[in-house]
């Protein structure tokens, strides 16, 4: 505290300079649940703590402050969020615990009642986390600050200047969603669509390029809506075209995207982008039109299928992955079988399967025909089994190919075993004959044999 307290501060409640500096030299452990947007935001919060003199430590270690960045996409998200809060409390009973993100946005009262929670912030005020953490230490009473995100349409510009990892960087370009799929609580947690300004995106991409990042992943809650809320005729395709011009970045990947983004001509234009990775996570959710309608998804299976084939014919080696929900209210055996058959036919390279989770406040929560948990388990297992088969089939197509792999991390600690990803998101694991430093490098690798969920590779060139 020393010099901070000695300095003359105006201790009005809004004096951020004082409160930000209040916890200098303290340790912060951070935990992230859920999506890439949360990962980005945790990294941005970590940077704010570092800028104010805090040290970031592992969440499992002893810390003075714990930040839990929560998720509420399923009941499991809520449960895990609560577990992380308890875990933090066990590590240090007198630590300041700040809970931020989607779960605290939707259920601030429930979260603030959890023993040990000191600060509760929603989804659009994570940028002030250092201030609130320090202020709670000063005032000694619980702070709950959750804005009405349905009214707040401003993009919270959480910028990252110094990424903790130096290989690929998430860049949040958009927040919020106006779609209101009948099962989803996210629009209530994240609010309306708001986009990061194109100038700021390009500025951040240039900075990442300058700092030697090889890949950036554009993420958001509904990135297909990028630009719809800002002036100047901006959309995702246009921002991708601008990013493509930035020198230095090798790869640009896009996060989960609504199939409806791919209107006439978009795929062809995307195929011309040099840096765009041929990997598209097109969220499908169900392969049955009746179920899709109840889900309030705004496309049909035949429209989805057409997009899949168009992408495959326009973009070489394209990988298409998806999310599937099983056991949505009213999903009969016949409807599930339609989904299964559809998935089997379009043969995507990876499927993430979720068992429908009832979210209060959503339309689907009150729908008749809620599906029994055991049936959901069985359906989930069937799709997972299919996924294994299709994933292997997709990977096998590339055996013998030489592909560029961006090596992200070492698996062992002896410098000889690394994992990374091809542009079309095949995980490659490579063992070297001697200790090397492959992290952050893009290297031509021969794809040799398929294993469970990855391919074993061999470096083509000795480095
Ligand atoms: S598109 Fe649907 S599933 Fe995705 S965030 Fe919006 S409401 Fe939720």
């Amino acid at each position: 505290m020393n010099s901070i307290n000695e300095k003359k501060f105006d201790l009005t409640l809004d004096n951020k300079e004082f409160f930000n500096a209040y916890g200098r030299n303290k340790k912060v452990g951070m935990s992230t649940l859920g999506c890439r947007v949360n990962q980005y935001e945790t990294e941005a919060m970590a940077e704010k703590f570092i800028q104010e003199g805090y040290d970031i430590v592992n969440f499992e270690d002893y810390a003075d402050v714990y930040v839990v960045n929560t998720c509420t996409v399923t009941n499991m998200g809520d449960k895990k969020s609560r577990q992380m809060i308890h875990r933090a409390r066990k590590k240090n009973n007198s630590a300041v615990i700040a809970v931020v993100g989607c779960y605290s946005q939707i259920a601030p009262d429930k979260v603030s009642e959890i023993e040990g929670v000191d600060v509760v912030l929603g989804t659009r005020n994570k940028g002030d986390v250092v201030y609130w953490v320090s202020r709670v230490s000063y005032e000694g009473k619980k702070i709950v600050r959750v804005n009405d995100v349905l009214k707040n349409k401003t993009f919270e510009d959480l910028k990252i200047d110094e990424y903790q990892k130096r290989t690929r960087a998430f860049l949040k370009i958009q927040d919020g969603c106006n779609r209101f799929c009948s099962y989803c609580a996210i629009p209530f947690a994240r609010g309306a669509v708001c986009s990061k300004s194109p100038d700021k995106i390009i500025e951040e991409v240039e900075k990442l390029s300058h700092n030697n990042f090889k890949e950036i992943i554009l993420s958001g809650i509904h990135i297909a809506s990028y630009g719809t809320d800002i002036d100047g005729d901006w959309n995702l395709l246009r921002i991708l075209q601008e990013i493509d011009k930035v020198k230095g970045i090798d790869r640009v990947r896009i996060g989960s995207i609504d199939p409806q983004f791919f209107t006439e001509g978009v795929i062809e234009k995307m195929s011309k982008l040099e840096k765009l990775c041929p990997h598209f996570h097109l969220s499908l959710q169900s392969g049955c039109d009746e179920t899709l309608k109840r889900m309030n998804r705004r496309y049909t299976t035949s429209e989805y299928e057409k997009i899949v084939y168009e992408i495959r014919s326009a973009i070489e080696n394209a990988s298409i992955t998806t999310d599937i929900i099983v056991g949505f209210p009213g999903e009969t055996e016949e409807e599930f079988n339609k989904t299964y058959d559809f998935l089997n036919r379009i043969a995507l390279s990876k499927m993430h399967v979720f068992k429908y989770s009832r979210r209060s406040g959503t339309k689907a929560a009150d729908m008749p025909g809620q599906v029994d948990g055991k049936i959901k388990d069985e359906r989930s297992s069937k799709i997972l089994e299919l996924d294994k088969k299709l994933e292997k089939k997709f990977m096998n197509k590339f055996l013998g190919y030489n592909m560029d792999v961006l090596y992200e991390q070492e698996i062992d600690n002896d410098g000889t075993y690394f994992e990374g990803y091809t542009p079309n998101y095949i995980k490659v694991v490579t063992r070297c004959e001697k200790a090397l430093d492959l992290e952050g490098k893009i290297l031509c690798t021969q794809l040799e044999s398929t294993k469970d969920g990855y391919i074993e590779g061999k470096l083509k060139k000795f480095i």
Side-chain angles (χ1 to χ4, degrees), residues 144-371:
V144 179
R145 285 289 181 285
V146 176
N147 300 331
D148 182 351
V149 288
L150 294 177
K151 287 190 186 139
N152 179 348
K153 295 192 177 166
T154 15
F155 185 81
E156 192 192 18
D157 222 344
L158 283 170
K159 211 159 104 261
I160 301 178
D161 287 320
E162 294 288 336
Y163 278 77
Q164 308 292 305
K165 287 197 173 173
R166 311 221 128 253
T167 310
R168 49 186 197 143
F170 293 112
L171 173 50
K172 180 184 156 192
I173 60 164
Q174 179 278 337
D175 205 341
C177 178
N178 301 341
R179 292 282 161 159
F180 291 93
C181 298
S182 65
Y183 53 85
C184 183
I186 296 303
F188 305 101
R190 287 280 177 174
V193 167
C194 48
S195 308
K196 189 175 179 98
S197 95
D199 291 350
K200 286 188 176 157
I201 293 177
I202 297 303
E203 194 186 301
E204 214 165 320
V205 173
E206 280 168 350
K207 201 163 205 173
L208 290 168
S209 156
H210 183 74
N211 288 331
N212 293 323
F213 277 92
K214 300 282 184 264
E215 179 175 316
I216 56 169
I217 302 156
L218 301 187
S219 52
I221 298 298
H222 191 258
I223 56 169
S225 298
Y226 177 78
T228 51
D229 60 312
I230 53 176
D231 294 336
D233 218 11
W234 283 96
N235 56 37
L236 181 63
L237 178 64
R238 193 170 157 206
I239 197 71
L240 281 167
Q241 288 166 332
E242 291 304 313
I243 293 172
D244 209 52
K245 295 176 196 159
V246 178
K247 291 200 173 72
I249 293 287
D250 293 279
R251 294 176 173 186
V252 178
R253 205 177 282 284
I254 48 176
S256 172
I257 189 158
D258 190 325
Q260 281 197 300
F261 170 70
F262 295 94
T263 50
E264 196 71 39
V266 167
I267 296 173
E268 204 217 319
K269 285 183 184 137
M270 281 183 129
S271 71
K272 305 233 168 5
L273 298 172
E274 273 179 34
K275 294 169 185 168
L276 184 67
C277 289
H279 168 220
F280 303 91
H281 189 79
L282 293 185
S283 35
L284 171 64
Q285 311 302 4
S286 169
C288 163
D289 288 329
E290 294 85 342
T291 319
L292 282 176
K293 213 166 177 183
R294 290 198 304 281
M295 288 177 163
N296 196 27
R297 301 291 289 179
R298 301 170 198 199
Y299 48 83
T300 62
T301 49
S302 53
E303 284 162 348
Y304 185 97
E305 189 167 4
K306 189 166 168 268
I307 294 164
V308 167
Y309 289 113
E310 276 178 14
I311 291 177
R312 282 175 179 162
S313 66
I315 301 177
E316 204 186 358
N317 299 336
S319 156
I320 301 171
T321 54
T322 201
D323 295 325
I324 296 294
I325 297 174
V326 293
F328 185 76
E331 186 188 63
T332 59
E333 200 59 28
E334 195 192 342
E335 288 192 359
F336 172 73
N337 288 337
K338 280 188 189 173
T339 291
Y340 186 93
D341 294 343
F342 181 73
L343 293 172
N344 198 15
R345 187 171 73 242
I346 61 171
L348 304 181
S349 47
K350 181 80 202 154
M351 299 184 282
H352 299 278
V353 188
F354 300 90
K355 294 171 216 166
Y356 168 73
S357 175
R358 209 170 181 170
R359 311 306 294 143
S360 65
T362 62
K363 275 196 177 157
D366 299 325
M367 282 182 183
Q370 298 289 327
V371 177

